[in-house]
Amino acid sequence: MEKLVINGGRRLSGRVKISGAKNAVLPIIAATLLGQDAPSRLDEVPALEDVRTIREVLEKLGVKAAFDADKNTFTVDASVIGSSEAPYDLVRRMRASFLIMGPLLARCGRAKISLPGGCAIGTRPIDLHLKGFEALGAKIEIGHGFIEAAAPDGLKGTHIYLDFPSVGATENILMAASMAEGQTVIENPAQEPEIVDLANYLNVMGARIRGAGTNAIKIDGVTKLTGRDYTIIPDRIEAGTYMVAAAMTQGDVRIDNAISEHLKPVIAKLKEAGAHIEEDVDSIHVWADKRMKAVDIKTMPYPGFPTDMQAQFMAMLAISEGTGLVTETVFENRFMHVDELKRMGANIKIDGRTSVVEGVANLTGCQVKATDLRAGAAMVLAGLVADGETQVGYIHHIDRGYDHLVQKLVGLGADIKRVKE
Ligand code: EPZ
């Protein structure tokens, strides 16, 4: 086990390059299973634990998959899929493994996947995924910890309304429908940029998808998709995390390879808190010369304020001037970072889905832990501004979603290192 040791009090300054988006590359790697006749080569793939895990999943399916973490390229030859079963140990390690169900159903006519467990931030059900597959004509059986889906005569296009704009369900249904017979319409889909990136990749492979990123997606099924080259969009949540770090430390940071269009609510809230932000074509300049003021945030599906930025903002509110309300509407238990921040002296009260954060003048460094990916990022941000030394444990959570975090923060002047427990 390893931990991060941070000495707080340094203003961040300089430039940082954002890596490819974790939440785009995982569904896109699942979608490579649809590519016949030619391999797919993906560029700007971030060096993350989750990317290594999904590569193992593809290998288990008898598919050749190679990841070059130095060149950030991922190649898949899915001309032959040897198995349509994914084992418990891999799905348990990463819920996003469930995203292979749609492609396997479309390509092989069946899929048997271990039921994904819940995780720290919530039960994470998959009912909307299954409702979509059944609407497309698949038979679903659940038993002995596995979900089995079968569509021996292929999938048929249909009209699907999503009760909640679930990102994963939208992605799974999109991939399954891309090879269904006839047209599928998904109403009330997720509209995240990562959905658009997946649809763009599928269309490059020969799919016929219109409307990704809007409130209705139309898919005209095709009989075959071909592996293709594709470059992953930048990670808006990684970018947002460094923007908050610049604001909290009253630093001056230029964030390269960031698409400000994907970060509108984060930019708006940071400006409201008193940060200065300049948006260029593919970079964002963030600087602050005084303590941030408290703001209220309420997480919503895109284009609302992203739930994946909630913990990071709470770390900033913990030392901002005034009281901020943080309302989490997407997940039912995404306040695991509150207790850890309170160990550092934060003044936070949880009232149902809302946390009341009363800013304090400073936090004090101590031993804390990452309870989940974004909570871990929040603890690192808190350590950057705390008095003294902060030690963040369980950093395997952070390794899942942040590419070269320590190197990037050291490059911005932070005093942070990774040490053995
Ligand atoms: C994706 O998770 C992201 N993960 C999450 O990022 C992100 O927080 C989430 O979308 C919301 O933006 C990946 O893309 C790999 P959902 P996903 O399905 O697809 C409920 C991170 O930190 N729901 O939109 O699992 C569910 O319980 C991670 O990078 C159902 O009720 O999110 C939750 O309350 C964390 N039934 C809400 O919808 C379903 O069938 C949002 O879930 C599916 C979901």
Side-chain angles (χ1 to χ4, degrees):
M1 293 283 270
E2 293 180 299
K3 63 186 174 185
L4 297 177
V5 178
I6 306 160
N7 282 296
R10 305 250 183 117
R11 294 169 190 267
L12 297 191
S13 67
R15 304 182 74 139
V16 62
K17 180 179 183 283
I18 298 304
S19 302
K22 168 178 85 83
N23 293 348
V25 75
L26 294 178
I28 286 174
I29 289 175
T32 60
L33 291 169
L34 293 164
Q36 306 173 43
D37 298 346
S40 281
R41 177 198 148 111
L42 306 176
D43 287 310
E44 291 294 311
V45 174
L48 304 174
E49 271 319 295
D50 277 5
V51 170
R52 295 184 181 91
T53 301
I54 198 160
R55 196 198 66 76
E56 284 181 57
V57 173
L58 264 54
E59 291 276 319
K60 278 268 189 283
L61 299 175
V63 166
K64 287 199 253 347
F67 176 41
D68 182 334
D70 297 329
K71 296 203 183 84
N72 298 104
T73 57
F74 196 102
T75 50
V76 177
D77 173 359
S79 42
V80 174
I81 297 182
S83 157
S84 55
E85 298 200 9
Y88 173 67
D89 63 319
L90 285 175
V91 179
R92 180 179 57 81
R93 206 189 316 164
M94 184 182 68
R95 287 180 40 74
S97 316
F98 195 68
L99 289 172
I100 62 173
M101 183 157 251
L104 289 177
L105 251 186
R107 182 83 190 275
C108 314
R110 74 175 290 273
K112 183 177 178 185
I113 299 180
S114 160
L115 268 169
C119 70
I121 62 178
T123 52
R124 310 288 293 272
I126 50 168
D127 55 312
L128 297 174
H129 299 239
L130 303 182
K131 178 181 164 190
F133 295 144
E134 284 177 325
L136 288 164
K139 293 275 167 292
I140 303 286
E141 263 180 56
I142 297 181
H144 310 294
F146 275 90
I147 293 176
E148 203 153 355
D153 309 325
L155 299 169
K156 302 267 180 304
T158 183
H159 198 286
I160 298 165
Y161 174 80
L162 285 182
D163 307 2
F164 179 86
S166 153
V167 169
T170 303
E171 291 165 344
N172 243 333
I173 296 165
L174 195 55
M175 292 187 278
S178 62
M179 289 180 72
E181 187 192 324
Q183 184 175 86
T184 298
V185 177
I186 308 174
E187 269 206 78
N188 192 32
Q191 302 181 32
E192 276 73 359
E194 293 76 26
I195 303 283
V196 177
D197 213 29
L198 172 62
N200 288 343
Y201 168 61
L202 288 167
N203 283 339
V204 161
M205 294 171 88
R208 294 170 56 203
I209 300 166
R210 285 164 290 145
T214 72
N215 59 3
I217 303 178
K218 280 197 179 69
I219 306 113
D220 291 311
V222 295
T223 52
K224 190 163 85 170
L225 294 174
T226 307
R228 284 284 184 265
D229 294 359
Y230 192 74
T231 299
I232 307 298
I233 54 169
D235 193 316
R236 62 193 167 98
I237 305 301
E238 184 193 18
T241 304
Y242 286 102
M243 291 167 71
V244 171
M248 285 174 73
T249 59
Q250 296 182 35
D252 183 335
V253 175
R254 178 171 293 282
I255 292 154
D256 293 320
N257 195 35
I259 302 173
S260 55
E261 176 65 26
H262 294 167
L263 282 152
K264 284 188 173 306
V266 172
I267 290 170
K269 283 295 171 182
L270 282 173
K271 281 182 176 171
E272 192 185 323
H276 304 286
I277 297 184
E278 222 170 56
E279 301 164 47
D280 292 333
V281 173
D282 67 351
S283 73
I284 303 171
H285 181 199
V286 184
W287 73 99
D289 39 28
K290 61 183 185 309
R291 183 182 178 192
M292 292 294 103
K293 282 202 268 325
V295 292
D296 294 344
I297 59 166
K298 179 174 183 181
T299 69
M300 295 293 282
Y302 196 89
F305 187 93
T307 173
D308 292 347
M309 282 301 302
Q310 181 256 104
Q312 298 92 311
F313 256 74
M314 195 184 286
M316 185 178 83
L317 292 175
I319 50 141
S320 295
E321 193 182 328
T323 300
L325 298 182
V326 177
T327 303
E328 172 58 58
T329 74
V330 176
F331 288 103
E332 71 267 25
N333 183 31
R334 202 169 195 175
F335 285 145
M336 308 282 278
H337 40 286
V338 168
D339 284 345
E340 298 303 307
L341 287 168
K342 287 168 77 170
R343 283 175 49 74
M344 299 177 75
N347 180 347
I348 306 171
K349 287 182 201 61
I350 299 179
D351 173 9
R353 289 220 151 191
T354 296
S355 284
V356 182
V357 186
E358 204 161 320
V360 294
N362 50 41
L363 299 174
T364 49
C366 67
Q367 279 192 314
V368 291
K369 67 177 190 281
T371 53
D372 56 86
L373 166 56
R374 305 302 172 184
M379 300 326 295
V380 172
L381 295 177
L384 292 176
V385 298
D387 293 344
E389 181 183 276
T390 299
Q391 299 189 8
V392 183
Y394 296 81
I395 55 172
H396 58 280
H397 288 297
I398 302 176
D399 293 338
R400 294 190 46 194
Y402 286 91
D403 184 356
H404 290 93
L405 176 75
V406 171
Q407 289 87 321
K408 290 183 179 182
L409 284 174
V410 166
L412 291 172
D415 177 351
I416 178 173
K417 53 183 179 297
R418 191 186 183 105
V419 299
K420 289 256 175 290
E421 280 279 17

